[in-house]
Amino acid sequence: MTTYAYYPGCSLETMAASYHVSATEVARRLGIDLVEIEDWNCCGATAYSQVDELLAQVLCARNLALVEQSGRTDVVAPCSACFKNLSFANLHMQDDGDLLEHMNYALDADGLAYSGSVRVHHLMGMLVDEVGIDAIRARVTKPQEGLRVAVYYGCQLVRPHRPGQGMQDVEDPRFFEDLMEAIGADVVPFPHRLRCCGGSLIVTSRKAALAMLHELLRSAGESGADLIVTACPLCQVNLELYQAEVNREFGAEFKMPVVYFTQLMGLALGASPKQVGIGSEIVKAGSVLACRGAATP
Amino acid sequence: MTTTLHFDQEVMNLLHAAGGEPLSTCIQCAMCSASCPAAPFMDDSPRRLIALINADLRDQVLASNTFWTCASCFACTERCPRGIDPAQLMYALRRYSIWKGVHREDLVGPDFSRRFVRTILRNGKSYEPGYAPAFIWEGGFPGMVREVQGALRLLRKGRLPLIPSRIKDLDGFRRMIGRIIPLEGFE
Ligand code: SF4
Ligand code: SF4
């Protein structure tokens, strides 16, 4: 069994509990042990770097130090925003000795230290790169045949690019589609797959965010998708919770379920809908999954 | 002897840590604006904001809603042919305007950021209901009703916590933060 340190992040404790449940289920079925970091703290989301850069940095440094202290070398984050924050904070400390020293001065007040040794993965990156698409395909017992999915990357899964990430994977990535095809789903062309969901603009600039969400939902709807599949709690909540408001604002009638990729993977690997947290959506996914035969036991 | 920095130099200093090429190398090609999904809602497009900075028009820049209307999607940063990082520029301007207290009063962003930070300094984790009041403002009473409806939908599905989650080692955590910024400012 391969073991990774696991950083769930704040939204997976609450709004995105179904992501947590399904991620754990998928990992278990693939023989991967995700060990939650003991006493992790918030990664700073997007609001921190608006207030203070070093503050944003030290929040991530503490989590990475906790990983190092536990003797592990690799940490996995399912939330794209957490992933981006942790991986860039890590890179900055690895590149800049002064910054690392400054962070260690602060960490020391909490009885911690960080040397820069940890590798940060997005959950999807870990599954694709370390487990491998073929190995995943080989474990599928319930292919999601006939389920038409709009694969939604959003932003931080691929942007800003990290060292070693090819331009192809920034401007025209395929790994998410490949993963969904490996579990038997029918990936529809979704032109807006890399376009932003508005992120925290839903709080700070509602009009802009609703317009951006409207565009995405329209694009997904026109592509003939049964549902949108995502790898980020913020995207999921924006697209799902504010769908009713988009409908009101734009006179639309979207009823587009938005699920996590791990929920579909879990089903394909033989888990029950309940085991992957199906049922906690606001726009119900159960009927789409069931009528396609995808979720039936 | 003191020297007064031009605004564009001040902004450059803010961006020092972020990397990216100096704003003075901008060729005004508007690739950033064309890539920006939020541009229709900005007072000034990202390209224009950079032109204003390079022209040292501080007050005009700070009066703009542009940097608070950025979604941090990094599309501009990936596409700029000169290697400029407009997304980090937007963050830098937010910090600058919060520090200097010169942000516009009608924007939700500054208050939201401060509240969010306060929540985390108190708990070590973020807690959605704790900063909900910040975003109820914008829509007035109908907006508040909508927010409450949304919150109830989440609550019914068990997706909103009733008590904030806290880290265990809050004392150590706060000592650590205290070595980065003075905590008093946020309490
Ligand atoms: S894309 Fe780069 S060079 Fe072109 S206008 Fe924007 S910042 Fe300037
Ligand atoms: S990062 Fe901000 S400015 Fe740049 S394209 Fe995205 S929303 Fe526009």
Side-chain angles (χ1 to χ4, degrees), chain A residues 54-217:
Chain A
L54 288 174
L55 185 56
Q57 181 74 39
V58 80
L59 289 171
C60 290
R62 181 174 180 275
N63 292 316
L64 294 167
L66 289 169
V67 175
E68 215 168 59
Q69 191 185 46
S70 73
R72 297 190 210 290
T73 52
D74 292 70
V75 62
V76 168
C79 165
S80 299
C82 298
F83 163 68
K84 185 217 119 201
N85 285 344
L86 291 174
S87 55
F88 279 93
N90 199 30
L91 281 170
H92 291 152
M93 286 187 286
Q94 287 167 345
D95 288 349
D96 181 346
D98 290 342
L99 179 66
L100 182 62
E101 199 182 313
H102 191 136
M103 289 300 118
N104 272 307
Y105 165 72
L107 287 170
D108 184 53
D110 195 14
L112 290 166
Y114 185 56
S115 79
S117 67
V118 171
R119 297 199 305 157
V120 181
H121 309 263
H122 190 282
L123 176 64
M124 191 185 293
M126 183 274 278
L127 292 172
V128 170
D129 298 336
E130 314 238 328
V131 180
I133 302 259
D134 292 334
I136 291 170
R137 188 182 292 114
R139 306 290 276 272
V140 169
T141 54
K142 293 217 163 50
Q144 302 295 291
E145 271 155 15
L147 185 69
R148 290 175 309 212
V149 301
V151 160
Y152 180 53
Y153 286 86
C155 302
Q156 294 164 337
L157 188 56
V158 289
R159 286 190 303 273
H161 72 270
R162 299 171 305 283
Q165 182 187 3
M167 232 24 229
Q168 166 92 30
D169 269 345
V170 179
E171 289 288 337
D172 188 22
R174 285 291 312 168
F175 59 90
F176 199 164
E177 283 88 346
D178 292 345
L179 184 59
M180 289 297 102
E181 279 165 7
I183 62 163
D186 190 356
V187 177
V188 301
F190 177 32
H192 282 51
R193 67 202 178 113
L194 290 163
R195 224 176 133 100
C196 180
C197 75
S200 59
L201 290 185
I202 198 72
V203 177
T204 57
S205 188
R206 181 60 61 96
K207 258 198 159 56
L210 289 179
M212 288 157 81
L213 290 169
H214 179 233
E215 283 288 298
L216 286 179
L217 289 164

Side-chain angles (χ1 to χ4, degrees), chain B residues 32 35-38 42 46 69-76 87 90:
Chain B
C32 48
S35 315
C36 178
M42 292 172 168
T69 312
C70 164
S72 307
C73 77
F74 293 91
C76 50
M90 303 299 173

